[in-house]
Amino acid sequence: MTDMTARQADPGIRAARVTHPLFARIFPRLSEAMEDGGMAARREPLLAALTGQVVDIGAGTGASFGHYPPAVEHVTAIEPEPRLRQIATAAARAAPVPVTVTDGLASALPAPDASFDAAVVTFVLCTVPDQNAALQEIRRVLKPGGVLCFLEHVRADTAGLARIQRALDATIWPHLIGGCHLSRDTAMAIKRAGFSIRRLDHFLFPEARTPVSFHITGQATSRGDQPC
């Protein structure tokens, strides 16, 4: 029995739910401010060359939907938080490409093996409980050589700021910001999960050097060997 068949056969595997009711009420305005402040300009080149079938994992409010190019045939958008999923569903109706929004977890994607040409994660790998589990699942649903596009919070580049990030991660930050962890070395996690990073850009947002400002964006390709 394949992993996908097991998920379909046992509803208990898909029973876990993600609910952040307070964050889900705050995030739409926060997301809009971030997009207007420069994040939209980061999404545009990140997604511009995508084609075929795309899975958008942790789609949130659907901020990426308007940036998918015409060569994308269909986007399967996964969003586990119920309130955000409703907002994303409304955004999908205005998208320039076909988008289907559905429930699901990054660690248990509701899709067959090797079914997507590209996967998109924006502010997702900082929030998932287990980065490696999510990345292995992304590898499972990507075709060999498929593209992973990422835009994420990451660890600061100085020891002092990294210590502050770890303190925030251990206390209030994940509870306030939907499970987000600031101090993860996400680029290394992507490599360890079996991807080859072909583009990686570091940037500050906002531009001041604060514990929440460190980000990366880039693309990686899934190697042809199967996930462990």
Side-chain angles (χ1 to χ4, degrees), residues 156-208:
D157 61 3
T158 66
L161 285 172
R163 279 195 298 272
I164 296 172
Q165 287 180 323
R166 289 193 296 271
L168 289 169
D169 288 350
T171 52
I172 62 170
W173 189 258
H175 301 287
L176 292 176
I177 311 295
C180 175
H181 291 75
L182 298 167
S183 63
R184 291 178 172 176
D185 187 351
T186 297
M188 182 57 68
I190 290 170
K191 293 176 184 177
R192 287 175 177 165
F195 289 89
S196 298
I197 294 180
R198 67 186 194 189
R199 173 189 146 199
L200 180 63
D201 298 318
H202 295 259
F203 67 99
L204 296 175
F205 184 91
E207 293 185 1

mmCIF file of all heavy atoms in Angstrom, residues 156-208:
data_model
loop_
_atom_site.group_PDB
_atom_site.id
_atom_site.type_symbol
_atom_site.label_atom_id
_atom_site.label_comp_id
_atom_site.label_asym_id
_atom_site.label_seq_id
_atom_site.Cartn_x
_atom_site.Cartn_y
_atom_site.Cartn_z
ATOM 1 N N ALA A 156 18.989 34.320 12.030
ATOM 2 C CA ALA A 156 19.793 35.527 11.867
ATOM 3 C C ALA A 156 21.254 35.175 11.590
ATOM 4 O O ALA A 156 21.708 34.059 11.857
ATOM 5 C CB ALA A 156 19.690 36.400 13.116
ATOM 6 N N ASP A 157 21.986 36.153 11.092
ATOM 7 C CA ASP A 157 23.378 35.893 10.720
ATOM 8 C C ASP A 157 24.377 36.300 11.801
ATOM 9 O O ASP A 157 25.583 36.310 11.556
ATOM 10 C CB ASP A 157 23.710 36.581 9.393
ATOM 11 C CG ASP A 157 23.548 38.105 9.449
ATOM 12 O OD1 ASP A 157 23.235 38.640 10.535
ATOM 13 O OD2 ASP A 157 23.726 38.752 8.395
ATOM 14 N N THR A 158 23.891 36.649 12.984
ATOM 15 C CA THR A 158 24.789 36.924 14.108
ATOM 16 C C THR A 158 24.334 36.109 15.310
ATOM 17 O O THR A 158 23.140 35.831 15.475
ATOM 18 C CB THR A 158 24.805 38.415 14.483
ATOM 19 O OG1 THR A 158 23.518 38.798 14.985
ATOM 20 C CG2 THR A 158 25.179 39.279 13.297
ATOM 21 N N ALA A 159 25.298 35.764 16.163
ATOM 22 C CA ALA A 159 24.991 34.923 17.326
ATOM 23 C C ALA A 159 24.022 35.617 18.273
ATOM 24 O O ALA A 159 23.121 34.980 18.837
ATOM 25 C CB ALA A 159 26.278 34.560 18.059
ATOM 26 N N GLY A 160 24.176 36.918 18.453
ATOM 27 C CA GLY A 160 23.326 37.643 19.379
ATOM 28 C C GLY A 160 21.864 37.641 18.948
ATOM 29 O O GLY A 160 20.963 37.351 19.751
ATOM 30 N N LEU A 161 21.608 37.963 17.691
ATOM 31 C CA LEU A 161 20.237 37.963 17.193
ATOM 32 C C LEU A 161 19.668 36.554 17.146
ATOM 33 O O LEU A 161 18.472 36.352 17.399
ATOM 34 C CB LEU A 161 20.182 38.614 15.811
ATOM 35 C CG LEU A 161 20.311 40.139 15.790
ATOM 36 C CD1 LEU A 161 20.435 40.647 14.361
ATOM 37 C CD2 LEU A 161 19.123 40.797 16.482
ATOM 38 N N ALA A 162 20.505 35.572 16.826
ATOM 39 C CA ALA A 162 20.033 34.183 16.819
ATOM 40 C C ALA A 162 19.602 33.736 18.210
ATOM 41 O O ALA A 162 18.623 32.995 18.358
ATOM 42 C CB ALA A 162 21.123 33.260 16.274
ATOM 43 N N ARG A 163 20.306 34.182 19.239
ATOM 44 C CA ARG A 163 19.910 33.855 20.608
ATOM 45 C C ARG A 163 18.543 34.455 20.933
ATOM 46 O O ARG A 163 17.701 33.806 21.568
ATOM 47 C CB ARG A 163 20.961 34.355 21.603
ATOM 48 C CG ARG A 163 22.160 33.448 21.741
ATOM 49 C CD ARG A 163 22.968 33.782 22.984
ATOM 50 N NE ARG A 163 23.506 35.140 22.958
ATOM 51 C CZ ARG A 163 24.683 35.462 22.418
ATOM 52 N NH1 ARG A 163 25.443 34.520 21.865
ATOM 53 N NH2 ARG A 163 25.107 36.711 22.443
ATOM 54 N N ILE A 164 18.327 35.674 20.501
ATOM 55 C CA ILE A 164 17.022 36.308 20.733
ATOM 56 C C ILE A 164 15.930 35.538 19.985
ATOM 57 O O ILE A 164 14.829 35.311 20.516
ATOM 58 C CB ILE A 164 17.052 37.780 20.300
ATOM 59 C CG1 ILE A 164 18.046 38.568 21.156
ATOM 60 C CG2 ILE A 164 15.655 38.396 20.402
ATOM 61 C CD1 ILE A 164 18.276 39.987 20.676
ATOM 62 N N GLN A 165 16.223 35.139 18.757
ATOM 63 C CA GLN A 165 15.253 34.346 17.995
ATOM 64 C C GLN A 165 14.893 33.058 18.737
ATOM 65 O O GLN A 165 13.713 32.688 18.835
ATOM 66 C CB GLN A 165 15.813 34.007 16.615
ATOM 67 C CG GLN A 165 15.860 35.168 15.656
ATOM 68 C CD GLN A 165 16.437 34.747 14.317
ATOM 69 O OE1 GLN A 165 17.358 33.918 14.248
ATOM 70 N NE2 GLN A 165 15.908 35.304 13.242
ATOM 71 N N ARG A 166 15.904 32.359 19.246
ATOM 72 C CA ARG A 166 15.636 31.104 19.959
ATOM 73 C C ARG A 166 14.799 31.354 21.207
ATOM 74 O O ARG A 166 13.912 30.560 21.542
ATOM 75 C CB ARG A 166 16.951 30.404 20.316
ATOM 76 C CG ARG A 166 17.678 29.818 19.119
ATOM 77 C CD ARG A 166 18.784 28.866 19.545
ATOM 78 N NE ARG A 166 19.836 29.549 20.278
ATOM 79 C CZ ARG A 166 20.903 30.112 19.721
ATOM 80 N NH1 ARG A 166 21.039 30.103 18.397
ATOM 81 N NH2 ARG A 166 21.834 30.701 20.458
ATOM 82 N N ALA A 167 15.070 32.464 21.893
ATOM 83 C CA ALA A 167 14.274 32.799 23.075
ATOM 84 C C ALA A 167 12.822 33.078 22.691
ATOM 85 O O ALA A 167 11.889 32.646 23.381
ATOM 86 C CB ALA A 167 14.880 33.998 23.785
ATOM 87 N N LEU A 168 12.623 33.797 21.611
ATOM 88 C CA LEU A 168 11.263 34.059 21.133
ATOM 89 C C LEU A 168 10.566 32.772 20.721
ATOM 90 O O LEU A 168 9.381 32.558 21.017
ATOM 91 C CB LEU A 168 11.300 35.042 19.967
ATOM 92 C CG LEU A 168 11.651 36.497 20.303
ATOM 93 C CD1 LEU A 168 11.903 37.291 19.026
ATOM 94 C CD2 LEU A 168 10.528 37.140 21.112
ATOM 95 N N ASP A 169 11.303 31.895 20.017
ATOM 96 C CA ASP A 169 10.729 30.622 19.575
ATOM 97 C C ASP A 169 10.300 29.751 20.748
ATOM 98 O O ASP A 169 9.336 28.982 20.657
ATOM 99 C CB ASP A 169 11.737 29.844 18.718
ATOM 100 C CG ASP A 169 11.942 30.451 17.342
ATOM 101 O OD1 ASP A 169 11.164 31.356 16.971
ATOM 102 O OD2 ASP A 169 12.876 30.027 16.647
ATOM 103 N N ALA A 170 11.037 29.854 21.865
ATOM 104 C CA ALA A 170 10.752 29.021 23.031
ATOM 105 C C ALA A 170 9.653 29.596 23.915
ATOM 106 O O ALA A 170 9.210 28.922 24.860
ATOM 107 C CB ALA A 170 12.021 28.839 23.860
ATOM 108 N N THR A 171 9.199 30.808 23.592
ATOM 109 C CA THR A 171 8.219 31.462 24.466
ATOM 110 C C THR A 171 6.987 31.904 23.673
ATOM 111 O O THR A 171 6.122 31.095 23.358
ATOM 112 C CB THR A 171 8.868 32.641 25.208
ATOM 113 O OG1 THR A 171 9.522 33.517 24.246
ATOM 114 C CG2 THR A 171 9.898 32.151 26.215
ATOM 115 N N ILE A 172 6.921 33.175 23.312
ATOM 116 C CA ILE A 172 5.649 33.717 22.823
ATOM 117 C C ILE A 172 5.459 33.695 21.312
ATOM 118 O O ILE A 172 4.330 33.684 20.832
ATOM 119 C CB ILE A 172 5.471 35.169 23.316
ATOM 120 C CG1 ILE A 172 6.587 36.075 22.759
ATOM 121 C CG2 ILE A 172 5.447 35.225 24.836
ATOM 122 C CD1 ILE A 172 6.344 37.562 23.009
ATOM 123 N N TRP A 173 6.569 33.715 20.550
ATOM 124 C CA TRP A 173 6.425 33.961 19.110
ATOM 125 C C TRP A 173 5.553 32.928 18.391
ATOM 126 O O TRP A 173 4.618 33.311 17.659
ATOM 127 C CB TRP A 173 7.798 34.063 18.451
ATOM 128 C CG TRP A 173 7.726 34.536 17.025
ATOM 129 C CD1 TRP A 173 7.835 33.783 15.898
ATOM 130 C CD2 TRP A 173 7.508 35.880 16.582
ATOM 131 N NE1 TRP A 173 7.710 34.556 14.774
ATOM 132 C CE2 TRP A 173 7.501 35.852 15.164
ATOM 133 C CE3 TRP A 173 7.312 37.091 17.240
ATOM 134 C CZ2 TRP A 173 7.306 37.000 14.401
ATOM 135 C CZ3 TRP A 173 7.124 38.237 16.480
ATOM 136 C CH2 TRP A 173 7.123 38.176 15.072
ATOM 137 N N PRO A 174 5.780 31.621 18.551
ATOM 138 C CA PRO A 174 4.922 30.660 17.839
ATOM 139 C C PRO A 174 3.451 30.772 18.211
ATOM 140 O O PRO A 174 2.570 30.539 17.367
ATOM 141 C CB PRO A 174 5.500 29.302 18.251
ATOM 142 C CG PRO A 174 6.904 29.595 18.655
ATOM 143 C CD PRO A 174 6.845 30.951 19.296
ATOM 144 N N HIS A 175 3.167 31.147 19.463
ATOM 145 C CA HIS A 175 1.774 31.272 19.898
ATOM 146 C C HIS A 175 1.105 32.489 19.277
ATOM 147 O O HIS A 175 -0.099 32.469 18.988
ATOM 148 C CB HIS A 175 1.719 31.360 21.423
ATOM 149 C CG HIS A 175 2.317 30.182 22.114
ATOM 150 N ND1 HIS A 175 1.697 28.943 22.149
ATOM 151 C CD2 HIS A 175 3.492 30.037 22.765
ATOM 152 C CE1 HIS A 175 2.459 28.087 22.809
ATOM 153 N NE2 HIS A 175 3.555 28.725 23.185
ATOM 154 N N LEU A 176 1.867 33.540 19.057
ATOM 155 C CA LEU A 176 1.312 34.756 18.480
ATOM 156 C C LEU A 176 1.192 34.686 16.965
ATOM 157 O O LEU A 176 0.259 35.237 16.370
ATOM 158 C CB LEU A 176 2.192 35.960 18.847
ATOM 159 C CG LEU A 176 2.230 36.382 20.321
ATOM 160 C CD1 LEU A 176 3.234 37.516 20.503
ATOM 161 C CD2 LEU A 176 0.852 36.795 20.811
ATOM 162 N N ILE A 177 2.162 34.017 16.315
ATOM 163 C CA ILE A 177 2.282 34.083 14.853
ATOM 164 C C ILE A 177 2.078 32.700 14.222
ATOM 165 O O ILE A 177 2.881 32.227 13.414
ATOM 166 C CB ILE A 177 3.637 34.703 14.436
ATOM 167 C CG1 ILE A 177 3.879 35.984 15.211
ATOM 168 C CG2 ILE A 177 3.680 35.010 12.938
ATOM 169 C CD1 ILE A 177 2.893 37.103 14.902
ATOM 170 N N GLY A 178 1.036 32.026 14.603
ATOM 171 C CA GLY A 178 0.598 30.820 13.905
ATOM 172 C C GLY A 178 1.607 29.701 13.840
ATOM 173 O O GLY A 178 1.651 28.960 12.853
ATOM 174 N N GLY A 179 2.442 29.559 14.874
ATOM 175 C CA GLY A 179 3.422 28.481 14.900
ATOM 176 C C GLY A 179 4.768 28.834 14.301
ATOM 177 O O GLY A 179 5.660 27.979 14.226
ATOM 178 N N CYS A 180 4.957 30.079 13.869
ATOM 179 C CA CYS A 180 6.208 30.481 13.218
ATOM 180 C C CYS A 180 7.399 30.349 14.161
ATOM 181 O O CYS A 180 7.325 30.685 15.337
ATOM 182 C CB CYS A 180 6.087 31.921 12.747
ATOM 183 S SG CYS A 180 7.613 32.604 12.055
ATOM 184 N N HIS A 181 8.517 29.850 13.616
ATOM 185 C CA HIS A 181 9.800 29.787 14.320
ATOM 186 C C HIS A 181 10.817 30.593 13.517
ATOM 187 O O HIS A 181 10.997 30.366 12.319
ATOM 188 C CB HIS A 181 10.271 28.338 14.452
ATOM 189 C CG HIS A 181 9.432 27.532 15.397
ATOM 190 N ND1 HIS A 181 8.175 27.083 15.062
ATOM 191 C CD2 HIS A 181 9.675 27.106 16.662
ATOM 192 C CE1 HIS A 181 7.664 26.409 16.087
ATOM 193 N NE2 HIS A 181 8.547 26.411 17.064
ATOM 194 N N LEU A 182 11.476 31.501 14.193
ATOM 195 C CA LEU A 182 12.378 32.432 13.517
ATOM 196 C C LEU A 182 13.774 31.883 13.297
ATOM 197 O O LEU A 182 14.504 32.366 12.427
ATOM 198 C CB LEU A 182 12.490 33.717 14.343
ATOM 199 C CG LEU A 182 11.202 34.514 14.535
ATOM 200 C CD1 LEU A 182 11.397 35.562 15.625
ATOM 201 C CD2 LEU A 182 10.776 35.160 13.228
ATOM 202 N N SER A 183 14.191 30.899 14.104
ATOM 203 C CA SER A 183 15.611 30.542 14.172
ATOM 204 C C SER A 183 15.982 29.306 13.346
ATOM 205 O O SER A 183 17.056 28.749 13.531
ATOM 206 C CB SER A 183 16.016 30.304 15.634
ATOM 207 O OG SER A 183 15.303 29.210 16.181
ATOM 208 N N ARG A 184 15.136 28.892 12.441
ATOM 209 C CA ARG A 184 15.428 27.682 11.673
ATOM 210 C C ARG A 184 16.386 27.958 10.514
ATOM 211 O O ARG A 184 16.290 28.980 9.830
ATOM 212 C CB ARG A 184 14.134 27.079 11.134
ATOM 213 C CG ARG A 184 13.249 26.490 12.222
ATOM 214 C CD ARG A 184 11.953 25.947 11.676
ATOM 215 N NE ARG A 184 11.219 25.238 12.713
ATOM 216 C CZ ARG A 184 10.008 24.713 12.550
ATOM 217 N NH1 ARG A 184 9.391 24.827 11.378
ATOM 218 N NH2 ARG A 184 9.422 24.072 13.543
ATOM 219 N N ASP A 185 17.278 27.002 10.274
ATOM 220 C CA ASP A 185 18.189 27.059 9.125
ATOM 221 C C ASP A 185 17.511 26.325 7.973
ATOM 222 O O ASP A 185 17.806 25.168 7.681
ATOM 223 C CB ASP A 185 19.531 26.425 9.481
ATOM 224 C CG ASP A 185 20.574 26.618 8.386
ATOM 225 O OD1 ASP A 185 20.211 27.094 7.288
ATOM 226 O OD2 ASP A 185 21.752 26.280 8.629
ATOM 227 N N THR A 186 16.591 27.005 7.334
ATOM 228 C CA THR A 186 15.713 26.354 6.357
ATOM 229 C C THR A 186 16.451 25.949 5.090
ATOM 230 O O THR A 186 16.153 24.908 4.498
ATOM 231 C CB THR A 186 14.523 27.270 6.043
ATOM 232 O OG1 THR A 186 13.764 27.441 7.255
ATOM 233 C CG2 THR A 186 13.632 26.684 4.977
ATOM 234 N N ALA A 187 17.420 26.728 4.644
ATOM 235 C CA ALA A 187 18.181 26.346 3.447
ATOM 236 C C ALA A 187 18.892 25.016 3.669
ATOM 237 O O ALA A 187 18.900 24.140 2.793
ATOM 238 C CB ALA A 187 19.173 27.434 3.081
ATOM 239 N N MET A 188 19.489 24.831 4.850
ATOM 240 C CA MET A 188 20.155 23.568 5.146
ATOM 241 C C MET A 188 19.145 22.429 5.220
ATOM 242 O O MET A 188 19.407 21.317 4.746
ATOM 243 C CB MET A 188 20.933 23.673 6.453
ATOM 244 C CG MET A 188 21.704 22.407 6.825
ATOM 245 S SD MET A 188 22.880 21.899 5.530
ATOM 246 C CE MET A 188 24.064 23.256 5.639
ATOM 247 N N ALA A 189 17.968 22.687 5.791
ATOM 248 C CA ALA A 189 16.940 21.653 5.866
ATOM 249 C C ALA A 189 16.502 21.215 4.474
ATOM 250 O O ALA A 189 16.268 20.024 4.230
ATOM 251 C CB ALA A 189 15.744 22.169 6.662
ATOM 252 N N ILE A 190 16.395 22.161 3.550
ATOM 253 C CA ILE A 190 16.019 21.834 2.171
ATOM 254 C C ILE A 190 17.073 20.933 1.531
ATOM 255 O O ILE A 190 16.754 19.935 0.877
ATOM 256 C CB ILE A 190 15.805 23.127 1.363
ATOM 257 C CG1 ILE A 190 14.536 23.848 1.852
ATOM 258 C CG2 ILE A 190 15.714 22.837 -0.132
ATOM 259 C CD1 ILE A 190 14.367 25.246 1.295
ATOM 260 N N LYS A 191 18.336 21.262 1.724
ATOM 261 C CA LYS A 191 19.412 20.437 1.174
ATOM 262 C C LYS A 191 19.401 19.039 1.780
ATOM 263 O O LYS A 191 19.546 18.036 1.073
ATOM 264 C CB LYS A 191 20.766 21.103 1.434
ATOM 265 C CG LYS A 191 20.985 22.402 0.675
ATOM 266 C CD LYS A 191 22.321 23.033 1.071
ATOM 267 C CE LYS A 191 22.541 24.373 0.423
ATOM 268 N NZ LYS A 191 23.803 25.012 0.860
ATOM 269 N N ARG A 192 19.251 18.959 3.099
ATOM 270 C CA ARG A 192 19.269 17.660 3.773
ATOM 271 C C ARG A 192 18.105 16.772 3.355
ATOM 272 O O ARG A 192 18.188 15.554 3.428
ATOM 273 C CB ARG A 192 19.249 17.874 5.288
ATOM 274 C CG ARG A 192 20.564 18.386 5.850
ATOM 275 C CD ARG A 192 20.443 18.697 7.332
ATOM 276 N NE ARG A 192 21.716 19.114 7.902
ATOM 277 C CZ ARG A 192 21.857 19.707 9.076
ATOM 278 N NH1 ARG A 192 20.780 19.967 9.823
ATOM 279 N NH2 ARG A 192 23.049 20.055 9.512
ATOM 280 N N ALA A 193 17.013 17.387 2.926
ATOM 281 C CA ALA A 193 15.847 16.622 2.517
ATOM 282 C C ALA A 193 15.955 16.069 1.103
ATOM 283 O O ALA A 193 15.053 15.367 0.643
ATOM 284 C CB ALA A 193 14.596 17.498 2.629
ATOM 285 N N GLY A 194 17.045 16.367 0.412
ATOM 286 C CA GLY A 194 17.255 15.784 -0.905
ATOM 287 C C GLY A 194 17.002 16.720 -2.065
ATOM 288 O O GLY A 194 16.764 16.266 -3.187
ATOM 289 N N PHE A 195 17.045 18.012 -1.806
ATOM 290 C CA PHE A 195 16.893 18.999 -2.871
ATOM 291 C C PHE A 195 18.240 19.632 -3.192
ATOM 292 O O PHE A 195 19.107 19.742 -2.328
ATOM 293 C CB PHE A 195 15.925 20.109 -2.450
ATOM 294 C CG PHE A 195 14.489 19.684 -2.364
ATOM 295 C CD1 PHE A 195 13.978 19.160 -1.174
ATOM 296 C CD2 PHE A 195 13.648 19.803 -3.453
ATOM 297 C CE1 PHE A 195 12.656 18.771 -1.084
ATOM 298 C CE2 PHE A 195 12.320 19.417 -3.370
ATOM 299 C CZ PHE A 195 11.821 18.898 -2.182
ATOM 300 N N SER A 196 18.378 20.060 -4.430
ATOM 301 C CA SER A 196 19.549 20.826 -4.849
ATOM 302 C C SER A 196 19.120 22.277 -5.046
ATOM 303 O O SER A 196 18.280 22.567 -5.906
ATOM 304 C CB SER A 196 20.113 20.269 -6.163
ATOM 305 O OG SER A 196 20.541 18.938 -6.003
ATOM 306 N N ILE A 197 19.651 23.173 -4.231
ATOM 307 C CA ILE A 197 19.285 24.581 -4.340
ATOM 308 C C ILE A 197 19.996 25.198 -5.541
ATOM 309 O O ILE A 197 21.213 25.145 -5.644
ATOM 310 C CB ILE A 197 19.630 25.339 -3.051
ATOM 311 C CG1 ILE A 197 18.752 24.828 -1.893
ATOM 312 C CG2 ILE A 197 19.431 26.851 -3.236
ATOM 313 C CD1 ILE A 197 19.012 25.505 -0.569
ATOM 314 N N ARG A 198 19.214 25.775 -6.432
ATOM 315 C CA ARG A 198 19.807 26.369 -7.639
ATOM 316 C C ARG A 198 19.763 27.889 -7.609
ATOM 317 O O ARG A 198 20.380 28.549 -8.447
ATOM 318 C CB ARG A 198 19.095 25.835 -8.883
ATOM 319 C CG ARG A 198 17.651 26.267 -9.042
ATOM 320 C CD ARG A 198 17.011 25.567 -10.233
ATOM 321 N NE ARG A 198 15.752 26.188 -10.610
ATOM 322 C CZ ARG A 198 14.914 25.653 -11.517
ATOM 323 N NH1 ARG A 198 15.216 24.511 -12.097
ATOM 324 N NH2 ARG A 198 13.806 26.281 -11.835
ATOM 325 N N ARG A 199 19.024 28.449 -6.651
ATOM 326 C CA ARG A 199 18.991 29.901 -6.484
ATOM 327 C C ARG A 199 18.655 30.180 -5.030
ATOM 328 O O ARG A 199 17.763 29.551 -4.463
ATOM 329 C CB ARG A 199 17.929 30.511 -7.391
ATOM 330 C CG ARG A 199 17.702 32.003 -7.161
ATOM 331 C CD ARG A 199 16.491 32.512 -7.930
ATOM 332 N NE ARG A 199 15.807 33.563 -7.178
ATOM 333 C CZ ARG A 199 14.556 33.938 -7.409
ATOM 334 N NH1 ARG A 199 13.859 33.347 -8.348
ATOM 335 N NH2 ARG A 199 14.018 34.889 -6.690
ATOM 336 N N LEU A 200 19.390 31.112 -4.421
ATOM 337 C CA LEU A 200 19.153 31.442 -3.021
ATOM 338 C C LEU A 200 19.503 32.909 -2.791
ATOM 339 O O LEU A 200 20.630 33.328 -3.045
ATOM 340 C CB LEU A 200 20.002 30.549 -2.106
ATOM 341 C CG LEU A 200 19.864 30.777 -0.598
ATOM 342 C CD1 LEU A 200 18.446 30.475 -0.131
ATOM 343 C CD2 LEU A 200 20.874 29.922 0.160
ATOM 344 N N ASP A 201 18.530 33.664 -2.332
ATOM 345 C CA ASP A 201 18.730 35.080 -2.028
ATOM 346 C C ASP A 201 18.378 35.335 -0.573
ATOM 347 O O ASP A 201 17.314 34.909 -0.097
ATOM 348 C CB ASP A 201 17.845 35.961 -2.917
ATOM 349 C CG ASP A 201 18.179 35.816 -4.392
ATOM 350 O OD1 ASP A 201 19.383 35.770 -4.715
ATOM 351 O OD2 ASP A 201 17.244 35.733 -5.207
ATOM 352 N N HIS A 202 19.245 36.044 0.142
ATOM 353 C CA HIS A 202 18.992 36.467 1.512
ATOM 354 C C HIS A 202 18.569 37.929 1.490
ATOM 355 O O HIS A 202 19.135 38.743 0.748
ATOM 356 C CB HIS A 202 20.263 36.319 2.354
ATOM 357 C CG HIS A 202 20.720 34.912 2.530
ATOM 358 N ND1 HIS A 202 20.484 34.183 3.675
ATOM 359 C CD2 HIS A 202 21.405 34.079 1.697
ATOM 360 C CE1 HIS A 202 21.002 32.982 3.555
ATOM 361 N NE2 HIS A 202 21.570 32.884 2.352
ATOM 362 N N PHE A 203 17.591 38.279 2.319
ATOM 363 C CA PHE A 203 17.187 39.680 2.392
ATOM 364 C C PHE A 203 16.584 39.982 3.756
ATOM 365 O O PHE A 203 16.165 39.080 4.493
ATOM 366 C CB PHE A 203 16.202 40.034 1.272
ATOM 367 C CG PHE A 203 14.848 39.363 1.359
ATOM 368 C CD1 PHE A 203 13.750 40.041 1.887
ATOM 369 C CD2 PHE A 203 14.666 38.060 0.909
ATOM 370 C CE1 PHE A 203 12.507 39.439 1.962
ATOM 371 C CE2 PHE A 203 13.417 37.447 0.980
ATOM 372 C CZ PHE A 203 12.331 38.142 1.504
ATOM 373 N N LEU A 204 16.544 41.256 4.091
ATOM 374 C CA LEU A 204 15.942 41.734 5.332
ATOM 375 C C LEU A 204 14.578 42.340 5.024
ATOM 376 O O LEU A 204 14.426 43.130 4.092
ATOM 377 C CB LEU A 204 16.819 42.799 5.991
ATOM 378 C CG LEU A 204 18.198 42.374 6.476
ATOM 379 C CD1 LEU A 204 18.960 43.588 6.988
ATOM 380 C CD2 LEU A 204 18.097 41.306 7.557
ATOM 381 N N PHE A 205 13.595 41.957 5.825
ATOM 382 C CA PHE A 205 12.252 42.537 5.697
ATOM 383 C C PHE A 205 11.597 42.535 7.069
ATOM 384 O O PHE A 205 11.316 41.464 7.603
ATOM 385 C CB PHE A 205 11.407 41.732 4.713
ATOM 386 C CG PHE A 205 10.045 42.352 4.489
ATOM 387 C CD1 PHE A 205 9.867 43.266 3.463
ATOM 388 C CD2 PHE A 205 8.962 42.008 5.287
ATOM 389 C CE1 PHE A 205 8.614 43.837 3.248
ATOM 390 C CE2 PHE A 205 7.724 42.579 5.088
ATOM 391 C CZ PHE A 205 7.537 43.491 4.065
ATOM 392 N N PRO A 206 11.401 43.711 7.679
ATOM 393 C CA PRO A 206 11.808 45.035 7.181
ATOM 394 C C PRO A 206 13.327 45.172 7.139
ATOM 395 O O PRO A 206 14.042 44.310 7.645
ATOM 396 C CB PRO A 206 11.192 45.984 8.209
ATOM 397 C CG PRO A 206 11.048 45.174 9.446
ATOM 398 C CD PRO A 206 10.770 43.777 9.008
ATOM 399 N N GLU A 207 13.799 46.257 6.560
ATOM 400 C CA GLU A 207 15.224 46.382 6.277
ATOM 401 C C GLU A 207 16.072 46.562 7.527
ATOM 402 O O GLU A 207 17.268 46.307 7.495
ATOM 403 C CB GLU A 207 15.466 47.539 5.305
ATOM 404 C CG GLU A 207 14.898 47.260 3.914
ATOM 405 C CD GLU A 207 15.235 48.339 2.920
ATOM 406 O OE1 GLU A 207 15.930 49.311 3.294
ATOM 407 O OE2 GLU A 207 14.812 48.228 1.752
ATOM 408 N N ALA A 208 15.492 46.989 8.625
ATOM 409 C CA ALA A 208 16.243 47.081 9.880
ATOM 410 C C ALA A 208 16.607 45.674 10.360
ATOM 411 O O ALA A 208 15.868 44.713 10.154
ATOM 412 C CB ALA A 208 15.401 47.793 10.940
#
